[in-house]
Amino acid sequence: ERERERDVTTTPAKRQPQPSTKIFKHPGINHESGHEPPLPPPPPTRPAGNPYHVSRKNVELQMIIATLSAGPVGIGDGVGLTNATLVTHVCRTDGLLLQADKAATPLDAMYSMPPSDTQLWQAHTRLVVDSSDANQALLSPVFYTVLGVDLLDGGMALAVPDLYPAAAAATQAVFAVAALSSFVPGNSQCAAGQPAAGCVRVLKPGSAVTLQTGQTPRPGDSHTHDVFYVSPMWPTPCGDVALLGEDGKFVRVSRNRILSVHVAGCHVNFTLTGDPGEAATLTLIANGTIAKVHASIGASGSATTTYILPH
């Protein structure tokens, strides 16, 4: 205790800081000459083939998985670093997400596969689809969004019984199968007026289509992936028609965009919803040909547009 008292009494008082009379000098400026040093070299360019100009791996795949989760999609970029083009693939202009009805689940075929990075997940959207014709029973209202990851070495076969929920009139149902990779800018095979055979494949009961994602990941990615859209084909007096959904979206058929479809003879009527003033483009197959339908959302937040099949 005495030692402690001695320490206290003999410790000199701390000196109070004195105001500085020196002028602050920036370390990056030569104050003798007044010249600034040369600027640092620019950052390295992004890897070639990186469409979103980001350095994180599998960015598009991560966004697709988040969208198919049917939950929130979180954007974790710094201020001013978000790629708006990528974000528009998942939502409307007012920010409402364009998602399927339920979260994606694995296809049954995955449970019999050996452990690997291969993934095949499916989500679905059920629209209001009706007709004033006698073919009402053949108008399946269910659209399927299938995510494939690392479908290598011959890919995986998809058949009608793999789809869930089962399509209406499944024994007669015919589907058009398109891929996200087919709708990249510059691919003229899916442009309006082109033969549908160059853009989609047909899936019938008793047959299968092979889904593949390519052998080599994009530069900077560690997995290959693609999204496959399975749309029912509806009979009309002017030939079969199929809705391939909205261009530029990961989930091309969502009830947050397409409210209903009405088939009347050779007319196909669509009721859409969205942000007032927003534009939307739908892709169809009309009697074996790719067709586009353009709509502008009105002030009420909805729009109705009609496609007339050629007679």
Side-chain angles (χ1 to χ4, degrees), residues 181-270:
S181 58
S182 298
F183 292 95
V184 295
N187 183 10
S188 60
Q189 290 184 319
C190 295
Q194 295 297 313
C199 181
V200 303
R201 290 172 290 171
V202 177
L203 175 61
K204 298 180 179 181
S207 66
V209 296
T210 300
L211 306 182
Q212 294 178 300
T213 58
Q215 298 292 321
T216 305
R218 298 176 181 177
D221 282 359
S222 57
H223 297 280
T224 63
H225 70 275
D226 210 340
V227 184
F228 305 93
Y229 306 99
V230 185
S231 302
M233 299 189 71
W234 304 318
T236 77
C238 298
D240 292 343
V241 62
L243 169 63
L244 299 182
E246 182 181 2
D247 289 357
K249 306 300 180 183
F250 289 145
V251 175
R252 295 178 63 90
V253 178
S254 171
R255 288 194 291 173
N256 282 340
R257 171 67 77 207
I258 306 172
L259 295 178
S260 64
V261 183
H262 179 73
V263 180
C266 297
H267 293 65
V268 185
N269 305 308
F270 302 95

